[in-house]
Amino acid sequence: MAGWDGDQADDGLPAADDEIGGGPGIDAVELTDDDLLREMGSLHRTRLETLRHGTDAALANHLRRTADLETEYLTRHPGREVDQARLRDGR
């Protein structure tokens, strides 16, 4: 993917791609909390393989779907608990 600058997620490529399930999936706002977490987990498990070996359309769809799901999660959980062990000193 020559010249990848992170903005290709909205590049007019088709949202559906057989390599990652055949479609864009259920709208994130319609998912239950359990389904939302399951879908995010699935995307995170398949991220590296899609990045390394997926088509441009698959990668664009993966980026789009990840952004949709994570945005919905943050909308539902704006005060999510931050694990202090995950912070660097002083931050």
Side-chain angles (χ1 to χ4, degrees), residues 19-59:
E19 294 179 55
I20 56 172
I26 297 171
D27 189 340
V29 299
E30 296 179 20
L31 295 171
T32 66
D33 283 348
D34 288 341
D35 290 338
L36 181 63
L37 289 172
R38 188 187 71 248
E39 289 288 315
M40 285 191 304
S42 176
L43 283 170
H44 286 270
R45 279 189 304 280
T46 61
R47 176 70 182 148
L48 183 58
E49 181 147 347
T50 304
L51 176 64
R52 293 187 64 210
H53 306 293
T55 64
D56 289 354
L59 182 58

Side-chain angles (χ1 to χ4, degrees), residues 4-5 11 18 21 25-28 43 45-49 51-52 58 61-62 64 66 68 76 78 80 82 84 89:
W4 179 258
D5 65 8
D11 61 2
D18 288 341
I26 297 171
D27 189 340
L43 283 170
R45 279 189 304 280
T46 61
R47 176 70 182 148
L48 183 58
E49 181 147 347
L51 176 64
R52 293 187 64 210
N61 189 45
H62 204 280
R64 209 175 358 260
T66 300
D68 288 346
R76 293 182 192 188
R80 68 194 196 288
V82 175
Q84 297 299 313
D89 290 338

